[in-house]
Amino acid sequence: MNPTDESPGLAVVLGGTGGIGTALAEGLRQQGHTVLAIGRRTTPAMDYADEASVARVAQHIGAELERTGLPLRRLVVATGILHEGAVQPERSWTHLDAAALQRLFLVNTIGPALVMRHLLPLLPRKGRSVAAFISARVGSIGDNRLGGWYGYRASKAALNQLVHTAAIELARRSPQALCVALHPGTVDTALSQPFAKTGLEVRPPAVAAQELLQVMDSLPEGSNGGFFDHHGTVVPW
């Protein structure tokens, strides 16, 4: 744990049953946190298409905070899609499809926005805590040199703006809390496997999770609202 942390607390991983989410949950347990890993098939379950389910998850977490007396030290949103059935990364504007765009924005942008609404108020008012939203370097407008992947890029860029905006509001109620976007690099999961290029650094989920947790633990003051990669390096907007 970072010396600025008062003690381990409750850690929540949304998307905690996926490849990187499972690894993040295990890494947080190893750090001494009490972990809630929540997904579409857990109890409670969370479905971004049903805001009431996000509210129920928030109520469940609130009850756990009250029952255990622990502070919410880590909130990690590890949900996201790049491809799903007919939803595939676009190579050209001729491939843009309204239904596919709606699905990408629901999971990558709207869902995390609902998480902000219902779960950020659970972070402690005092003491260090981190809300980390897994984003992607391809969501960087400044780093976009190849084009393509319109929907995924745009939905992650929108997520980054939401994170930065929420961080400003969060700082007013919880001055030591951090709300950040994190790029995990290319991880060996179902999301990236069809698109991992030969020669690209592809890391196992456990390795990627440890890198991300190290970044969360070591973010200095002034990091609130930032966008960082798995090495802790600032990613351009």
Side-chain angles (χ1 to χ4, degrees):
M1 297 294 292
N2 188 288
T4 60
D5 281 343
E6 296 161 357
S7 62
L10 187 70
V12 174
V13 182
L14 303 179
T17 58
I20 194 166
T22 299
L24 284 164
E26 178 57 30
L28 287 162
R29 289 189 189 96
Q30 292 174 5
Q31 289 186 338
H33 292 289
T34 299
V35 178
L36 293 177
I38 296 172
R40 287 178 294 177
R41 297 176 182 84
T42 58
T43 304
M46 190 181 67
D47 181 354
Y48 286 155
D50 176 16
E51 183 175 354
S53 74
V54 183
R56 286 192 294 271
V57 166
Q59 292 170 355
H60 178 76
I61 296 168
E64 282 298 296
L65 293 171
E66 185 173 350
R67 183 184 69 82
T68 62
L70 295 171
L72 180 57
R73 291 286 182 216
R74 297 287 183 271
L75 170 61
V76 184
V77 181
T79 52
I81 62 167
L82 169 61
H83 57 93
E84 181 185 74
V87 178
Q88 296 291 325
E90 310 92 345
R91 296 188 302 275
S92 164
W93 57 56
T94 61
H95 300 141
L96 286 168
D97 175 80
L101 288 169
Q102 287 170 354
R103 179 61 181 166
L104 286 165
F105 271 82
L106 173 64
V107 177
N108 295 339
T109 312
I110 297 171
L114 296 176
V115 170
M116 293 171 185
R117 175 184 178 181
H118 292 283
L119 272 68
L120 287 184
L122 299 176
L123 293 172
R125 289 185 176 271
K126 295 182 179 180
R128 189 178 189 274
S129 59
V130 180
F133 293 77
I134 302 303
S135 185
R137 186 180 296 275
V138 295
S140 166
I141 296 174
D143 193 58
N144 182 359
R145 298 178 180 86
L146 298 176
W149 290 27
Y150 285 78
Y152 188 69
R153 286 185 186 276
S155 62
K156 288 296 189 177
L159 170 64
N160 293 344
Q161 179 67 282
L162 287 168
V163 168
H164 188 74
T165 303
I168 294 170
E169 182 173 356
L170 179 64
R172 299 185 186 123
R173 70 176 297 280
S174 303
Q176 292 177 272
L178 302 176
C179 182
V180 297
L182 297 180
H183 166 61
T186 304
V187 185
D188 187 14
T189 64
L191 182 145
S192 63
Q193 281 173 352
F195 306 100
K197 297 178 181 178
T198 302
L200 203 62
E201 182 191 7
V202 181
R203 288 120 53 246
V207 173
Q210 288 302 318
E211 292 172 341
L212 291 173
L213 292 175
Q214 176 61 33
V215 172
M216 292 179 216
D217 291 346
S218 59
L219 287 170
E221 289 186 18
S223 300
N224 190 34
F227 183 17
F228 305 91
D229 70 10
H230 53 288
H231 300 301
T233 304
V234 173
V235 179
W237 295 118

